[in-house]
Amino acid sequence: MGSPQRPPLAHVFRGTFVHSSPSAPMEILHGHLLGVDDSGTIVFLEQTDQQEQLAKKWGFKTSDIRELSNHEFFMPGMVDTHIHAPQYSFTGTRVDLPLLQWLTTYTFPTEVKYKDSDFAEEVYTRVVRRTLKNGTTTACYFATIYTDTSLLLAEIIDKFGQRAFVGKVCMDMNDSVPQYKESTADSVQETERFVKELLEKKYPRVQPVITPRFGPSCTENLLCALGDLAQARDLHVQSHISENEEELKLVESLFPTYQNYTELYDKNKLLTSKTVMAHACYLSEEELKLFSLRGAAISHCPNSNFSLRSGVLNVQKVLKHNVKLGLGTDVAGGYSASMLDAIRKTMMASNSLQINKVNETALTLEEAFQLATLGGSQALGLDDVIGNFEVGKEFDALLINTKASDSPFDLFSADNFEDTLQKFLYLGDDRNISEVYVAGKQVVPFSSSV
C-alpha cells in the first residue's frame, strides 16, 4: 500500500536562498529546493540533487517547480521591531529637535488627530503598504491612545496580510500637550478593551502588545496596572528606554526611589521575556545584566538615534551580555520606513563606535542582516515561527531581483553572488523586492482586493 495522499504543496521553489542561523550570521544556499505546504509552513529545504526523492515523498511534478533565475534569490522577510504607525504622516520631515522637544512640538500634536478614523485609515493604510512593499513582513507597531483607531490599524494590517503586534499607547502624564493624555483609570480600562476586542477578532497573525509610552508619560500607578495586566494575560510589552540623556535625567527626578530606568519597568512587571524596549543607548552594565536575566529584548533604532541626536547604542556590548536584539525603523524619529535603511544605519553606528575607539571591531554586514531577520524574530519571541528558512517555520520571504527594471544599482560581469548580495543590501530598494510572502501567502504585489 502507498502512503496516504499528502495535500498538494502550495509552493516549490528552486534556486538560491540566503538566511541566518543562530551560529552563522549569513548562509548562502545555492542550488536548493524549498517546499511550502498549504498552511504556509516550510516542509523541506534540500539540495537539488534530492529532487527525485522529494518529488516522490511530497507528490509534486517538475512542472510545479518555480525556477528562480540566476539574478534572483529568496531571503527571509525583515522584522521591524519598533515603528510608530501614526507618525508615518510626517516621516522624512521634522527631525530638527532633540527627543523631548520633538515629542511636544511635532509628535503629540500629530497623534491627537487620530481620534478621526478617516485620517487614521488613510495614514495606517499607507504605512502598512509602504512597509510591506519594502520587505517588512513583521512589524511591532505603536498606535495612539485612541482605542478605536488602534483597532482599525490591526484590521488594516490583517487585510494586507502583514504579521504584527499592535499597541494602544498608554500615557496619563503630559503637561506639554495636555489634550493628549488619559486618566490612569481610562488608560487601563481602554487597554483592557483594546486587548479583549483585538483577541476576539482572531486575526491569525496580529496580536496585541501592552504599550506604556515611556517612563515620563506614565505614573507609577499606570505602570503597575499595565504590568499586572501583561502578567495576567501573558501579553507582550513594548516601550522606550534610555533614548537620550535629558530623558534619563527626567526619569531620575520623576521616580527617585528607583535605582535606574530599567528597575522602573522591572519592579512594575514590565520587563519580561516578552518585552522589547526601544533605543537603550545609555544602559549600565547592571541594567544589561537585568535585561539578560529577564530575557527582555532591545530594539536598535540607529536612524532615529542619529536623526534626533539621541545617542549611539553599542550593539556589540548588548550582544556580549547575551541580550536579544533586533532592528527598528522608529518612524518618524527615524526618517525611513525601510528596514534596508535600518541595516545600513546599523553599520554606520557600529563604524562610528570603532572610529571613536569605543570598540576594536565593527559589526559585519552579515551580522546586520542577521539582526534584521532572525534577530528581530528573537526579539519579538517569534523565532520558533519565523526568522529564517528552517523546516517547520512559516514562509515569510522576499524574492529579490538584482536586475529588476529600474534597479538602483548596476551589476558588472566581474561581480560574483556575494558582490551582488552586498550591492542589494547597501543600494537596493523596493524596486528589487519583486514579491513578498507572509506565511506562504503572496502579499506583494498587492491583490486587487486590498
Side-chain angles (χ1 to χ4, degrees), residues 30-33 45-51 54:
H30 292 297
H32 273 64
L33 279 161
L45 176 59
E46 299 281 354
Q47 292 185 335
T48 47
D49 61 9
Q50 300 296 303
Q51 185 172 318
L54 288 168

Side-chain angles (χ1 to χ4, degrees), residues 158-203:
D158 175 67
K159 182 177 77 173
F160 280 96
Q162 194 173 42
R163 193 185 294 277
F165 290 97
V166 178
K168 173 224 160 301
V169 174
C170 298
M171 41 197 291
D172 62 349
M173 288 202 292
N174 190 358
D175 293 341
S176 58
V177 185
Q179 68 273 32
Y180 191 58
K181 69 173 180 185
E182 318 154 280
S183 72
T184 310
D186 280 350
S187 188
V188 176
Q189 203 179 338
E190 284 299 293
T191 300
E192 286 174 341
R193 176 166 83 87
F194 173 76
V195 169
K196 179 175 177 289
E197 292 192 18
L198 181 43
L199 291 173
E200 280 170 358
K201 299 279 187 194
K202 293 192 164 53
Y203 297 135

Side-chain angles (χ1 to χ4, degrees), residues 215-251:
S217 293
C218 301
T219 60
E220 209 169 339
N221 286 345
L222 179 56
L223 292 173
C224 180
L226 294 174
D228 286 341
L229 178 60
Q231 185 182 49
R233 304 293 298 267
D234 192 25
L235 295 165
H236 284 75
V237 174
Q238 64 176 348
S239 193
H240 302 85
I241 197 167
S242 297
E243 184 172 352
N244 88 355
E245 289 174 307
E246 194 185 354
E247 170 210 14
L248 264 184
K249 290 195 183 81
L250 184 56
V251 169

Side-chain angles (χ1 to χ4, degrees), residues 395-427:
F395 186 67
D396 285 17
L398 315 178
L399 179 63
I400 307 303
N401 180 356
T402 56
K403 282 193 178 170
S405 63
D406 211 21
S407 174
F409 57 89
D410 294 296
L411 298 178
F412 296 92
S413 54
D415 289 340
N416 63 23
F417 181 78
E418 282 80 356
D419 297 325
T420 305
L421 176 56
Q422 287 193 17
K423 283 186 176 185
F424 166 69
L425 291 174
Y426 274 125
L427 298 167

Side-chain angles (χ1 to χ4, degrees), residues 133-134 401 404-408 427-434:
K133 220 165 74 145
N134 279 281
N401 180 356
S405 63
D406 211 21
S407 174
L427 298 167
D429 62 22
D430 58 323
R431 287 169 288 190
N432 302 105
I433 303 173
S434 51

